[in-house]
């Protein structure tokens, strides 16, 4: 099952979720109505009829209308409220639980270790580096990821996890979280949270009413009723959550092993959880319980409604020979030296030498990497990619990685990576930057250092800068975007690689400054998108080829992949205009997953038309995929 | 009876709308406040780096500046008070008093550092000292980073203060004790001197 199918399934599950929710709401409204009727009848019993009989009515349309109106308002209102609160991104969940951001230039060794593990994983999977948060008051070992798209992710780790887990174990946990991210589970989780909050809000309202005072006040009784009924809502809520999240935990565990090729790391982490627990003390833990890596609530009789499969089962899946003993925990700070925090452990076993051989990447890749292979790589990663990532990171000049982790120099670093190698062009680009002489000076300083950088390290370096760049204020970010635009315009059409680089950087920063609208696919058929596809394919064809005949040939190869019976797709040589391409990509991003798969396949065919995929073409392909929210891991030599 | 029911319904819906608006506005203020507090953390990191560099600077210069001990002590004292003021402000960037303390201490530190650098100019041996050159360069670079982080912080504070003061969110801000945040502005000592006007 590939990335695109998983996305489709995640979307369908969201719809299913909404059905469950509707049923739960109906059940709750009926329960409240029944309770209210009992209450009303009890009142009416005080006045007996003239003939001595009491009136019991089961159906009172006025009461029913009132009750359902209030209930529906409260439920939907609070759901909408919560959903809109969560729409600004995953950091809302982290802050709700008391999290604080982990700084890019942290000096705490454990935090640095986590940062390095996460950065490696991000480079290995082609996703942006998620925002990192720490729960400083939680001693249990736990973690979670939240966010709407891959560009807007937050990973939050407890203090206990940082203290008690070794690098390998941390990598296993982060791999688990990344698999959730790549599967599109996160959007589902956020929606779930918003919806279930609606049902829970009745209990909250009931509690508030319970505290009102006054003689002959029916409100506290009504409040009690709401709490009792709200408990039904909580029951439904737990049921929905567990139905959705249990199976995915096993899948995420399996995916983590696939990413790291190290089942021991994750298994040991789980064994440590067995000992030190994973409970989250914050009162908001119930709301977010389905996000966590391990069970964040206390074990109860209602285990069958738990959001996670039992711990022992998970450990046995990973380590069939487990002896049933949990691992005692102790702080690992004494094992972590500064060097260890940075360097990964060397690859083990005979694969070691073979690994290193494969890491030497050629400048061009034979197009024998079939299009199908490229598509199957989308949204996944592997241990080879992880080794590649740590190799790239360890070979980078330390002053460059330091610059990437500090906001001001990160800005200068991005500018430096985009500057043209041609001196005259570069001079005019530097003139554009003179408005802020401090940054201009830093850019020049970093430019000379980037000359020594391997070309395969340029994109990873830009990826590493994202964390620090998130600290820009809104006006600073606006200036940043303007300056980048100016530099790219001066680079002209010749430079495809820098276009791809700046596109990736801005795409990854944008969700932080302009919260993403919850994008529902608007295009389920490719026909309305054909003009945009034409623009995209033409641009890609022109980028890789020089001869008009070759360009046309490349274009045709790509166009064949798309369902175009009316032959609307025509090569457009004026399409190589950056604003046009941007607009086309934005529209194409609203297509359903299967359509995106076809579009990516077409682009891959066009790129591979001349039999070789150049490095800049590969990066362009990754940039396009990134814009369509379909991350592609780095290309490795076969 | 019908009219009463309809009116009741409208009142309930109206009340709920107001409640949800209040919740939304409150959350917005909280998020803006978190943002500027986080922006202060960025300043904090750079300031700490500066405070770490200064004792090295003083030690390196001490051997050469036997007769300028006053200036060196001034720098050390200013650095220490700025360090503690910053530590307090980092605990609670929402406290305007704490921020005022830091900006005041920073102004004093910048002033004394300026005087130290002026003195160093007349000691060519010290100026050529490699360690001195390295430290001064790092100090300049850190200074630039502080300026950048300060700009970001002030931007976030402005957004927060505006939201806090405009109607109708100011009603919610006042009911829930959202205090005004202080901008981080370090006054340059030269600007404080009276302008001398000369007609010669």
């Amino acid at each position: 099952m590939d990335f695109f199918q998983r996305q489709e399934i995640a979307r369908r599950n969201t719809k299913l979720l909404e059905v469950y929710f509707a049923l739960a709401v109906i059940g709750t409204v009926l329960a409240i109505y029944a309770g209210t009727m009992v209450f009303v009848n009890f009142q009416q019993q005080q006045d007996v009829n003239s003939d001595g009989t009491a009136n019991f009515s089961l159906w009172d349309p006025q009461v029913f209308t009132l009750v359902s109106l209030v209930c529906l308002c409260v439920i939907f209102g609070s759901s909408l409220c919560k959903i809109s609160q969560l729409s600004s991104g995953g950091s809302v969940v982290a802050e709700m639980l008391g999290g604080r951001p982990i700084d890019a230039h942290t000096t705490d060794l454990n935090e640095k270790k986590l940062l390095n593990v996460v950065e490696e994983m991000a480079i290995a999977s082609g996703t942006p580096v998620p925002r990192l948060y720490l729960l400083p008051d939680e001693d249990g070992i736990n973690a979670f990821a939240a966010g709407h798209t891959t560009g807007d992710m937050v990973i939050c780790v407890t203090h206990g996890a940082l203290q008690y887990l070794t690098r390998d174990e941390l990598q296993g946990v982060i791999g688990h979280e990344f698999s959730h991210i790549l599967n599109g589970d996160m959007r589902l989780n956020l929606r779930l949270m918003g919806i279930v909050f609606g049902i829970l809000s009745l209990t909250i309202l009931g509690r508030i009413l319970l505290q009102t005072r006054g003689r002959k006040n029916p409100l506290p009784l009504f409040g009690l009723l709401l709490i009792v009924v709200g408990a039904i809502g909580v029951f439904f809520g737990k049921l929905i959550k567990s139905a959705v999240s249990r199976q995915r935990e096993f899948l995420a565990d399996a995916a983590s092993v696939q990413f790291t090729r190290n089942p021991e790391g994750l298994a040991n982490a789980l064994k440590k959880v067995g000992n030190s627990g994973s409970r989250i003390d914050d009162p908001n833990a119930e709301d977010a319980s389905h996000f966590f890596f391990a069970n964040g609530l206390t074990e109860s009789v209602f285990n069958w409604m738990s959001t996670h499969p039992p711990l022992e089962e998970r450990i046995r899946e990973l380590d069939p020979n487990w002896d049933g003993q949990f691992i005692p925990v102790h702080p690992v700070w004494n094992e972590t030296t500064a060097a260890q925090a940075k360097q990964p452990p060397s690859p083990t076993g005979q694969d070691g030498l073979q690994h290193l051989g494969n890491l030497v990447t050629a400048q061009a890749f034979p197009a024998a990497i079939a299009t199908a292979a490229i598509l199957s790589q989308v949204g996944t990663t592997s241990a080879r990619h992880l080794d590649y990532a740590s190799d790239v990171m360890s070979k980078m000049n330390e002053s460059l990685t330091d610059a990437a982790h500090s906001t001001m120099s990160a800005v200068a670093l991005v500018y430096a990576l985009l500057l043209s190698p041609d001196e005259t062009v570069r001079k005019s680009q530097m003139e554009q930057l003179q408005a802020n002489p401090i940054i201009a000076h830093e850019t020049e300083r970093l430019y000379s250092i980037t000359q020594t950088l391997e070309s395969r390290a340029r994109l990873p370096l830009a990826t590493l800068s994202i964390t620090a760049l998130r600290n820009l204020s809104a006006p600073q970010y606006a200036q940043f975007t303007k300056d980048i635009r100016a530099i790219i315009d001066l680079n002209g059409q010749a430079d495809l690689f820098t276009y791809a680089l700046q596109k990736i950087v801005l795409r990854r920063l944008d969700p932080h400054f302009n919260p993403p609208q919850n994008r529902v696919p608007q295009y389920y058929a490719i026909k309305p998108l054909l003009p945009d596809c034409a623009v995209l394919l033409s641009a890609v064809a022109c980028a890789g080829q020089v001869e008009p005949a070759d360009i046309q040939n490349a274009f045709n190869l790509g166009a064949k992949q798309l369902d175009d019976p009316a032959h609307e797709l025509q090569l457009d040589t004026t399409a190589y205009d950056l604003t046009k391409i941007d607009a086309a990509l934005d529209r194409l991003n609203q297509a359903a997953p299967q359509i995106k798969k076809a579009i990516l396949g077409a682009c891959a065919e066009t790129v591979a038309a001349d039999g070789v995929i150049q490095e800049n073409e590969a990066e362009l392909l990754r940039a396009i995929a990134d814009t369509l929210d379909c991350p592609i891991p780095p290309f490795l030599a076969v | 009876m019908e009219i009463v029911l309809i009116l009741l319904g409208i009142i309930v819906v109206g009340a709920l709308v107001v409640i949800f608006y209040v919740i939304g506005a409150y959350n917005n203020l909280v998020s803006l406040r978190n943002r500027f507090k986080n922006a202060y953390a960025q300043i904090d990191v750079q300031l700490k780096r500066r405070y770490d560099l200064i004792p090295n600077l003083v030690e390196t210069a001490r051997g050469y500046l036997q007769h300028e001990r006053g200036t060196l002590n001034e720098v050390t004292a200013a650095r220490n008070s700025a360090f503690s003021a910053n530590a307090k402000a980092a605990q609670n960037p929402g406290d305007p008093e704490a921020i005022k303390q830091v900006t005041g201490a920073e102004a004093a530190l910048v002033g004394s550092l300026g005087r130290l650098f002026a003195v160093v100019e007349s000691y060519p041996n010290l100026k050529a000292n490699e360690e001195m050159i390295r430290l001064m360069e790092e100090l300049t670079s850190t200074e630039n980073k502080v300026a950048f982080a300060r700009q970001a912080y002030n931007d976030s504070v402005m957004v927060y203060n505006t939201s806090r003061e405009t109607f109708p969110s100011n009603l919610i801000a006042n009911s829930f004790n959202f205090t005004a945040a202080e901008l981080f502005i370090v006054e340059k000592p030269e600007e404080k001197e009276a302008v001398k006007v000369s007609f010669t």
Side-chain angles (χ1 to χ4, degrees):
Chain A
M1 189 181 0
D2 68 6
F3 173 79
F4 303 97
Q5 285 165 308
R6 290 200 302 267
Q7 295 275 336
E8 282 281 353
I9 290 179
R11 276 196 325 114
R12 254 185 283 139
N13 278 344
T14 317
K15 297 246 159 62
L16 199 61
L17 184 61
E18 287 165 6
V19 169
Y20 286 155
F21 172 64
L23 290 176
V25 169
I26 294 175
T28 318
V29 169
L30 286 177
I32 295 188
Y33 170 70
T36 321
M37 282 316 292
V38 165
F39 183 68
V40 164
N41 280 330
F42 187 71
Q43 285 261 351
Q44 283 180 344
Q45 250 196 329
Q46 313 291 344
D47 344 293
V48 180
N49 268 357
S50 49
D51 58 4
T53 58
N55 264 338
F56 281 112
S57 53
L58 274 178
W59 173 252
D60 185 340
Q62 288 175 336
V63 175
F64 183 72
T65 325
L66 187 62
V67 165
S68 25
L69 191 65
V70 172
C71 283
L72 290 176
C73 271
V74 171
I75 293 179
F76 282 110
S78 13
S79 280
L80 285 173
C81 219
K82 194 71 172 177
I83 289 180
S84 89
Q85 188 192 9
L86 293 174
S87 69
S88 55
S91 40
V92 176
V93 180
E95 276 166 19
M96 187 180 85
L97 292 164
R100 70 160 166 83
I102 291 182
D103 208 48
H105 34 43
T106 179
T107 43
D108 181 297
L109 283 179
N110 282 331
E111 288 180 15
K112 197 109 187 74
K113 183 173 68 178
L114 176 67
L115 188 65
N116 283 327
V117 169
V118 172
E119 284 177 344
E120 258 172 41
M121 190 75 66
I123 293 179
S125 58
T127 54
V129 180
R131 261 202 107 171
L132 285 179
Y133 275 83
L134 174 69
L135 293 178
D137 301 321
E138 303 286 351
D139 279 327
I141 299 177
N142 219 332
F144 72 86
H148 290 284
T149 60
T150 51
D152 150 56
M153 280 298 154
V154 157
I155 288 187
C156 189
V157 166
T158 59
H159 175 70
L162 276 192
Q163 247 201 332
Y164 299 132
L165 295 182
T166 64
R167 199 184 202 279
D168 270 352
E169 294 159 3
L170 212 50
Q171 204 177 52
V173 174
I174 298 294
H176 175 109
E177 295 308 329
F178 261 81
S179 118
H180 278 316
I181 293 176
L182 292 171
N183 274 339
D185 290 340
M186 292 298 115
R187 200 181 310 182
L188 185 62
N189 276 350
L190 283 175
R191 177 128 259 155
L192 188 52
M193 190 176 194
I195 288 175
V196 173
F197 183 77
I199 309 178
L200 293 180
S201 59
L202 287 175
T203 317
I204 297 173
L205 190 60
R207 246 180 240 143
I208 295 175
L209 286 180
L210 201 61
Q211 291 171 347
T212 59
R213 296 274 172 265
R215 283 190 300 147
K216 272 193 167 185
N217 189 0
L219 286 182
L221 280 174
F222 199 58
L224 198 60
L225 167 70
L226 278 184
I227 290 181
V228 168
V229 172
I232 299 179
V234 170
F235 174 81
F236 277 127
K238 278 195 202 279
L239 210 58
I240 296 178
K241 278 204 259 182
S242 59
V244 170
S245 71
R246 274 178 81 128
Q247 194 50 38
R248 290 183 319 186
E249 294 302 319
F250 275 127
L251 290 177
D253 282 347
S256 169
V257 171
Q258 179 201 327
F259 294 170
T260 59
R261 210 199 298 139
N262 182 5
E264 248 183 70
L266 187 59
N268 287 344
L270 286 170
K271 289 176 197 166
K272 284 187 177 174
V273 167
N275 225 331
S276 98
S278 53
R279 208 185 70 213
I280 302 291
D281 290 323
D282 192 283
N284 284 310
E286 166 77 54
D287 270 353
S289 62
H290 51 291
F291 277 97
F292 287 109
F293 160 71
N295 198 351
L297 309 170
T298 34
E299 297 285 327
S300 73
V301 173
F302 298 105
N303 228 359
W304 54 279
M305 279 202 301
S306 162
T307 42
H308 294 81
L311 196 62
E312 286 86 1
E313 247 187 87
R314 288 174 78 181
I315 299 180
R316 254 178 237 290
E317 278 288 322
L318 296 167
D319 180 9
N321 303 323
W322 182 41
D323 61 359
Q325 293 296 327
F326 292 131
I327 298 182
V329 294
H330 57 269
V332 294
W333 55 265
N334 46 355
E335 294 172 14
T336 309
T337 60
Q340 266 197 326
K342 192 167 186 201
Q343 300 291 1
S346 44
T348 50
Q350 319 152 304
D351 305 78
L353 282 174
Q354 192 190 14
H355 268 12
L356 294 173
N358 285 339
L359 289 172
V360 174
T361 55
Q363 281 291 87
F365 310 94
I369 308 174
T371 319
I374 295 178
L375 289 181
S376 69
Q377 296 244 307
V378 173
T380 171
T381 184
S382 73
R384 278 187 70 208
H385 290 111
L386 205 53
D387 291 332
Y388 172 88
S390 57
D391 186 59
V392 169
M393 276 177 72
S394 59
K395 296 214 171 88
M396 273 187 213
N397 187 322
E398 195 160 334
S399 53
L400 288 179
T401 37
D402 278 344
H405 284 143
S406 168
T407 313
M408 189 206 84
S409 27
V411 170
L413 183 62
V414 173
Y415 293 163
L417 287 172
L418 296 175
L419 289 178
S420 167
D422 179 316
E423 235 191 283
T424 25
V425 178
R426 196 164 68 243
K427 234 192 224 160
S428 42
Q429 286 172 329
M430 287 305 299
E431 268 167 42
Q432 294 287 331
L433 298 176
Q434 286 309 326
N436 192 336
I438 297 175
I439 298 211
H441 176 76
E442 181 79 355
T443 309
E444 278 202 47
R445 181 183 81 89
L446 289 172
Y447 178 75
S448 41
I449 308 181
T450 57
Q451 295 300 85
T452 61
L453 199 62
E454 314 175 81
S455 49
R456 69 172 181 154
R458 295 178 89 88
L459 187 56
L461 194 57
T463 307
L464 294 182
S465 319
I466 303 291
T467 312
L469 288 173
R470 288 200 183 105
N471 291 321
L472 291 171
S473 67
Q476 285 177 330
Y477 179 67
Q479 182 66 36
F480 178 64
T481 336
K482 234 177 62 172
D483 286 338
I484 287 187
R485 215 54 194 191
I487 297 179
I488 295 293
D489 283 340
L490 284 170
N491 266 337
Q493 299 190 351
D495 203 336
L496 195 56
F497 184 71
T498 50
Y499 169 74
L501 194 90
Q502 63 90 21
K503 188 100 189 115
I504 291 181
V505 168
L506 289 181
R507 270 280 305 170
R508 289 167 179 193
L509 278 181
D510 235 33
H512 182 68
F513 294 98
N514 309 314
Q517 303 306 316
N518 224 337
R519 272 214 185 99
V520 180
Q522 310 210 348
Y523 297 102
Y524 292 90
I526 202 167
K527 198 164 181 325
L529 291 173
L530 285 174
D532 302 299
C533 295
V535 168
L536 187 61
L537 284 179
S538 310
V540 175
C542 291
Q545 265 68 238
V546 177
E547 297 293 318
D550 292 334
I551 295 179
Q552 184 68 55
N553 178 38
F555 181 86
N556 291 343
L557 276 176
K560 259 201 313 214
Q561 298 293 318
L562 299 175
D563 183 23
D564 176 30
H567 295 290
E568 284 175 33
L569 283 173
Q570 291 300 330
L571 174 63
D572 179 4
T573 40
T574 63
Y576 204 115
D577 173 314
L578 298 181
T579 16
K580 254 193 189 169
I581 303 178
D582 276 349
L585 281 172
D586 284 339
R587 250 194 313 273
L588 289 174
N589 191 19
Q590 297 177 39
Q594 292 300 335
I595 311 258
K596 286 188 187 176
K597 183 176 182 180
I599 296 173
L600 271 180
C603 289
E605 282 295 334
T606 306
V607 160
D610 58 356
V612 165
I613 300 184
Q614 299 288 342
E615 188 152 359
N616 59 349
E617 287 178 319
E619 296 303 337
L620 179 63
L621 201 55
R622 288 181 71 203
I624 293 174
D626 191 79
T627 319
L628 298 178
D629 276 332
C630 307
I632 297 185
F635 282 86
L636 302 177
V638 234
Chain B
M1 187 58 189
E2 310 261 305
I3 301 184
V4 172
L5 209 59
I6 293 177
L7 273 178
L8 199 61
I10 294 179
I11 290 177
V12 165
V13 171
L16 287 172
V17 165
V18 168
I19 291 177
F20 292 138
Y21 167 75
V22 166
I23 295 176
Y26 177 83
N27 286 337
N28 184 42
L29 280 168
V30 168
S31 133
L32 289 178
R33 188 171 58 185
N34 282 343
R35 203 169 296 179
F36 86 73
K37 283 189 174 170
N38 183 40
Y40 190 84
Q42 298 305 308
I43 301 182
D44 179 49
V45 168
Q46 301 301 341
L47 286 180
K48 281 209 178 92
R49 192 132 168 266
R50 194 129 139 290
Y51 300 148
D52 284 341
L53 287 172
I54 291 177
N56 291 350
L57 189 73
V58 167
E59 276 319 299
T60 311
R62 197 182 288 281
Y64 295 78
L65 298 178
Q66 297 289 356
H67 304 288
E68 312 285 353
R69 239 171 293 160
T71 321
L72 287 176
N73 290 341
E74 206 193 312
V75 168
T76 309
R79 175 257 181 211
N80 289 339
S81 65
F83 182 85
S84 46
N86 175 50
K88 249 182 56 197
Q91 295 285 346
N92 185 13
D95 178 5
E97 270 316 304
I99 302 286
K100 282 203 195 107
Q101 297 275 0
V102 181
T103 49
E106 272 292 308
L109 180 58
V110 168
S112 59
L113 273 177
R115 280 189 281 283
L116 178 62
F117 292 156
V119 164
V120 168
E121 284 297 309
S122 30
Y123 286 77
N125 281 348
L126 178 56
K127 242 175 81 173
N129 179 311
E130 267 185 37
E131 181 68 4
M132 192 68 179
I133 294 176
R134 184 187 76 83
L135 283 170
M136 285 181 67
E137 223 187 271
E138 263 207 67
L139 214 56
T140 317
S141 143
T142 313
E143 195 59 55
N144 292 339
K145 293 192 181 145
V146 170
F148 199 77
R150 242 180 18 221
Q151 193 185 27
Y153 170 81
N154 287 338
D155 287 336
S156 330
V157 162
M158 260 184 45
V159 172
Y160 168 77
N161 279 341
T162 314
S163 182
R164 203 191 79 88
E165 286 160 22
T166 50
F167 184 81
S169 37
N170 60 344
L171 299 171
I172 293 144
N174 289 333
S175 350
F176 290 102
N177 270 338
F178 282 93
T179 49
E182 182 80 13
L183 290 169
F184 197 109
I185 302 180
V186 179
E187 289 173 351
K188 294 221 163 65
E190 311 90 66
E191 287 165 15
K192 271 192 149 170
E193 286 170 10
V195 174
K196 288 205 179 78
V197 179
S198 159
F199 288 102
T200 54

